[in-house]
Amino acid sequence: MKHENVYQLFDRRAEELPDHPALARAGAGVTYRELRERTNRLANFLIASGVEKGSVVAVLTRDTAQAITAVVAVLKAGGVFVPLDPDIPERRLRTMIEEVTPGWFVVDSEFLHVTLPTHQNGRPKARVLLLDGGREGAADAA
């Protein structure tokens, strides 16, 4: 029995039903084709930024569609995603970040102040890819 990764199952579904809704959003849905294009674009951006098999990538966004896009993209890039909850207290977020020490963050710009320590546990500052465009590295996923 062949086992498929989550992103492989997603890609297969996108091939089978490209014009069917993959995500429902207020005002507009996202088709499997659109979501696949977004995840591929972000995965390629992550790979070009140095994400490789086993790289730890923290995802922090309030937007569900962006979160799903980021998680699938991280998996496609070979990384390990760490979902961070934007609704927990900032102090707890910082503690989680210190414990996990991700090499990359995929975030909305509103969270830059949380994800930009100069060093983490003696390691250089992590790379930050912004989902909503902005100063660091634009990774337009939504």
Side-chain angles (χ1 to χ4, degrees):
M1 178 176 184
K2 182 183 175 191
H3 295 282
E4 292 181 287
N5 294 322
V6 170
Y7 69 87
Q8 291 170 322
L9 292 170
F10 166 77
D11 278 345
R12 186 160 41 90
R13 177 61 94 186
E15 288 176 18
E16 294 169 354
L17 303 167
D19 297 319
H20 281 72
L23 300 173
R25 295 178 90 170
V30 177
T31 66
Y32 277 101
R33 175 181 289 128
E34 293 166 330
L35 187 57
R36 185 178 190 189
E37 289 171 359
R38 292 175 186 179
T39 61
N40 287 343
R41 187 169 52 246
L42 182 55
N44 289 331
F45 190 85
L46 290 168
I47 292 166
S49 298
V51 171
E52 55 190 26
K53 185 174 182 173
S55 295
V56 178
V57 182
V59 176
L60 182 56
T61 178
R62 291 190 190 284
D63 185 290
T64 303
Q66 287 183 336
I68 291 168
T69 300
V71 166
V72 174
V74 169
L75 293 173
K76 284 183 173 190
V80 177
F81 71 90
V82 177
L84 298 174
D85 183 349
D87 294 323
I88 64 174
E90 186 175 315
R91 185 175 176 170
R92 178 65 186 137
L93 269 178
R94 288 183 185 276
T95 299
M96 291 174 69
I97 290 167
E98 287 175 12
E99 290 175 5
V100 176
T101 60
W104 288 263
F105 290 92
V106 178
V107 302
D108 290 332
S109 57
E110 72 175 285
F111 299 113
L112 279 175
H113 69 284
V114 177
T115 60
L116 288 178
T118 304
H119 286 80
Q120 297 175 352
N121 295 337
R123 293 176 41 189
K125 180 172 73 172
R127 186 86 196 265
V128 178
L129 307 174
L130 298 178
L131 289 168
D132 55 0
R135 295 178 302 163
E136 292 291 318
D140 184 19

